[in-house]
Amino acid sequence: MGNNIDKQVKQVLRLILKDIKVELGDEFDQNFERQAFFSQAWERRRSPTRPGGHILVDSGSLRRSIKSKTTDNSITFYSELPYAAIHNEGGEIVVTKRMKRYFWYKYYSATGSFGRKKDGSLRNTKRNRQLRDEADFWKIMALMKEGSKISIPKRQFLGKSPEVEAAVREIIEENLNEYINDIDFNIQ
């Protein structure tokens, strides 16, 4: 009888972990829609690039990179992208020569997209004004000294929170109640 109970406990634990994986996986994904870590809003972007766009969603790679790993008695959510940790935890990055080249590339890409009149002068359109702001941003970034630091604000999308703990507690309670309700108490 003890072996049967062990099997049942392991089955309930597997179901709990499966439910946690589904529920929290969805909640962590929804953080990108909410642009917040549950109820804690992310700091707004200061750069003029992609105005009105979602924070931390450019190509969608970071959002899609969230994975989970389950063992017999635990579940871990993670991302293998090298820049995921700096966005999730915040911090500083050091400007390198390679970064400066990228900033110049973005500057020249922005300036090459300007709409022009037949005489070659710039059109005064909303898009050109936006591109001018974007080009100015990339030029400022490109002119930063090598070795200077850029501060990345914390925009957590994975981790512990009261909402995570409440969701886990609710899943555990539901599964245990279901398990207990299914027990056949046939006492003679």
Side-chain angles (χ1 to χ4, degrees):
M1 180 160 167
N3 193 19
N4 190 26
I5 290 176
D6 286 344
K7 276 185 178 177
Q8 290 175 349
V9 168
K10 285 182 181 180
Q11 177 63 23
V12 169
L13 187 55
R14 271 195 301 277
L15 290 173
I16 288 171
L17 291 175
K18 182 181 172 192
D19 288 351
I20 289 171
K21 178 180 180 176
V22 170
E23 178 71 24
L24 290 184
D26 185 51
E27 287 296 328
F28 291 145
D29 182 67
Q30 286 300 308
N31 285 333
F32 289 89
E33 280 299 313
R34 291 186 280 259
Q35 298 187 59
F37 185 60
F38 296 97
S39 58
Q40 185 179 348
W42 292 338
E43 185 177 320
R44 302 304 305 167
R45 208 185 283 113
R46 285 191 215 117
S47 74
T49 59
R50 294 180 27 258
H54 281 278
I55 299 171
L56 292 187
V57 180
D58 189 9
S59 66
S61 297
L62 181 60
R63 186 177 187 172
R64 286 189 307 274
S65 76
I66 298 173
K67 307 274 186 268
S68 61
K69 182 172 39 178
T70 308
T71 64
D72 287 342
N73 57 6
S74 71
I75 185 163
T76 305
F77 288 89
Y78 65 96
S79 171
E80 292 179 341
L81 289 178
Y83 55 85
I86 193 78
H87 285 300
N88 198 52
E89 298 157 17
E92 289 185 338
I93 56 175
V94 178
V95 175
T96 64
K97 189 179 273 188
R98 185 175 177 191
M99 288 169 71
K100 289 173 63 76
R101 280 195 310 267
Y102 175 75
F103 297 151
W104 280 120
Y105 163 78
K106 293 298 280 184
Y107 168 73
Y108 287 119
S109 294
T111 57
S113 300
F114 286 136
R116 299 190 179 274
K117 298 178 186 174
K118 287 183 181 180
D119 67 2
S121 63
L122 293 178
R123 288 195 170 113
N124 189 19
T125 62
K126 182 178 179 182
R127 175 156 168 69
N128 271 358
R129 286 189 296 275
Q130 177 191 339
L131 283 171
R132 194 173 308 121
D133 290 344
E134 187 176 331
D136 289 345
F137 170 77
W138 289 118
K139 186 174 183 180
I140 289 167
M141 296 297 284
L143 291 173
M144 291 181 82
K145 290 192 184 312
E146 217 174 297
S148 56
K149 295 183 180 180
I150 299 172
S151 179
I152 307 293
K154 179 179 180 177
R155 293 183 176 124
Q156 188 174 6
F157 52 91
L158 287 178
K160 292 181 180 179
S161 76
E163 293 90 347
V164 169
E165 292 173 12
V168 168
R169 192 175 307 111
E170 185 178 327
I171 290 168
I172 291 170
E173 287 174 3
E174 284 175 9
N175 278 279
L176 289 178
N177 285 336
E178 193 173 304
Y179 171 71
I180 290 169
N181 290 337
D182 287 347
I183 295 176
D184 184 16
F185 291 108
N186 220 352
I187 304 173
Q188 297 185 2

